[in-house]
Amino acid sequence: MVDDSKPLTTSAVPLIDGCPAQGIFYDVEPAAYFSWNAISNSKLHAAKRSMLHYHTQRPVEETSAMRLGSLTHTGKFEPQSLGERYVVMPRYEDQVRRPDGGLYDSPKGSKAYKELVSTFSEKNRDRTVVTAEQYDAMLGMVDALGRHEVATDLLTGGLCEVSIVWRDPQTGLMLKGRTDHWQRDRRLVSDFKTGWDIDGVEQQIENRGYFRQLGMYCDGFELLTGERHTGAIVVAETTRPYAVKAAPLCDEYLDAGRAEYRRLLGQIAECVQTNNWPGVDSPALWTRPAWAVERPTLDIDWSGVVMQENAR
């Protein structure tokens, strides 16, 4: 158990094999956290596909949705850092003109637009460039979160962007987590997600393994503090009206997350020991899936249709 009353930073604890000793860290830049050599929930997501996927995974290139998520996290939890980390691309598409003064049909494809974007990006290469639409969406989500009673309760009154590192007592593997919000007095770990159709939240929690992530984080905080923790998820829609859903996970769901990450860790530990990283299983025979068999057959009149063989 660590003394969590004393804030730690990466400079306070030396790195051993690319990872700090286990502890709770309050002031860690995202790039530093991502560089730590420890198993995260995202790595476990690859492991769920197969041990081969886990062993050969590479860093994921940032998508537009991921960039908006990072921007919104900063706007909600570290608004004082927005100007330091991000810069908004001007709406150059509204400014460029053809040599004759007319408007382009597709201004973003014009040489003039591309030159303005290139110059702006080079001038601001030390910050992440976002679009005006992304920045407006961030403001909309942050405002919606502030007006949502449950989300406000879950995301205020504690510490933001808390990183943890711990050694799994059963496998000896080093694990890490970075939770959006930690309420120490309530022993509550809350994570904030964006980029969803609000009607598909439950499916995304399951498919993307966020219940597993919270089960893993709660176990990490329990090991580091000696106190049992629970978890919650807050979701904001990325388009108007920026609807919000927020709630704690029930004990059964957290237990399911714990069981899944523990199973995957056991498999990883075995593969580390044998240096054998199996891929996905193959079926004995390919059989037609149930969804294809149950799909209704369309009654199509093929008369008059000329069939041509594709060139190979």
Side-chain angles (χ1 to χ4, degrees):
M1 188 170 67
V2 302
D3 180 3
D4 61 345
S5 65
K6 297 179 180 179
L8 300 176
T9 66
T10 51
S11 61
V13 179
L15 298 182
I16 303 173
D17 295 328
C19 184
Q22 67 178 21
I24 302 173
F25 302 87
Y26 304 122
D27 298 303
V28 180
E29 287 296 318
Y33 168 78
F34 292 130
S35 71
W36 289 350
N37 183 26
I39 297 174
S40 64
N41 178 64
S42 60
K43 289 186 176 181
L44 291 182
H45 197 62
K48 190 174 181 181
R49 299 181 68 186
S50 78
M51 290 296 105
L52 181 62
H53 285 88
Y54 169 85
H55 189 57
T56 60
Q57 65 185 304
R58 296 290 183 268
V60 178
E61 292 188 12
E62 185 181 51
T63 64
S64 178
M66 291 167 62
R67 182 169 297 185
L68 176 57
S70 298
L71 171 66
T72 308
H73 274 70
T74 303
K76 173 61 179 176
F77 300 113
E78 303 174 281
Q80 71 281 358
S81 300
L82 276 172
E84 177 184 346
R85 297 180 183 177
Y86 295 93
V87 62
V88 179
M89 177 76 70
R91 297 180 189 271
Y92 289 129
E93 62 270 31
D94 298 333
Q95 302 177 23
V96 293
R97 295 289 186 274
R98 296 199 311 255
D100 62 5
L103 296 174
Y104 286 101
D105 293 333
S106 301
K108 290 186 178 181
S110 67
K111 180 180 179 181
Y113 175 84
K114 292 178 180 178
E115 288 178 347
L116 288 171
V117 169
S118 177
T119 300
F120 183 84
S121 299
E122 177 63 23
K123 183 179 178 181
N124 295 280
R125 60 181 179 273
D126 58 334
R127 293 186 286 178
T128 299
V129 178
V130 297
T131 66
E133 291 77 13
Q134 288 175 322
Y135 197 84
D136 289 344
M138 177 273 292
L139 293 177
M141 284 185 278
V142 170
D143 178 67
L145 289 167
R147 290 184 285 104
H148 194 279
E149 184 176 349
V150 177
T152 299
D153 177 63
L154 295 174
L155 298 179
T156 56
L159 296 167
C160 303
E161 304 292 359
V162 179
S163 301
I164 57 175
V165 174
W166 71 103
R167 185 178 296 279
D168 177 56
Q170 296 185 26
T171 64
L173 297 171
M174 293 301 293
L175 311 181
K176 67 177 180 179
R178 185 177 177 88
T179 189
D180 296 317
H181 198 267
W182 178 42
Q183 295 187 38
R184 176 69 175 85
D185 57 337
R186 295 173 65 182
R187 300 178 295 283
L188 177 64
V189 180
S190 297
D191 247 31
F192 167 54
K193 307 296 182 184
T194 65
W196 290 343
D197 171 3
I198 205 68
D199 293 329
V201 169
E202 290 79 4
Q203 183 177 359
Q204 294 296 331
I205 291 174
E206 185 71 24
N207 291 346
R208 298 191 181 185
Y210 293 130
F211 72 104
R212 179 186 64 237
Q213 178 182 30
L214 278 177
M216 180 177 170
Y217 286 7
C218 287
D219 278 2
F221 275 105
E222 180 178 355
L223 186 146
L224 294 170
T225 66
E227 297 179 320
R228 186 80 166 175
H229 277 62
T230 190
I233 292 179
V234 178
V235 182
E237 205 170 30
T238 58
T239 56
R240 295 181 185 278
Y242 309 114
V244 173
K245 279 188 176 181
L249 266 69
C250 69
D251 291 341
E252 292 79 9
Y253 212 173
L254 275 175
D255 287 342
R258 290 185 174 100
E260 183 166 295
Y261 96 81
R262 295 231 52 85
R263 175 178 61 81
L264 294 172
L265 284 184
Q267 293 176 8
I268 293 170
E270 181 178 348
C271 290
V272 169
Q273 189 173 38
T274 61
N275 196 28
N276 179 36
W277 303 90
V280 297
D281 294 331
S282 295
L285 291 171
W286 293 112
T287 58
R288 197 174 188 194
W291 59 263
V293 176
E294 296 171 357
R295 184 175 55 193
T297 302
L298 298 178
D299 185 13
I300 301 175
D301 181 6
W302 294 102
S303 61
V305 177
V306 178
M307 306 297 292
Q308 293 182 337
E309 182 179 357
N310 292 330
R312 294 182 181 272

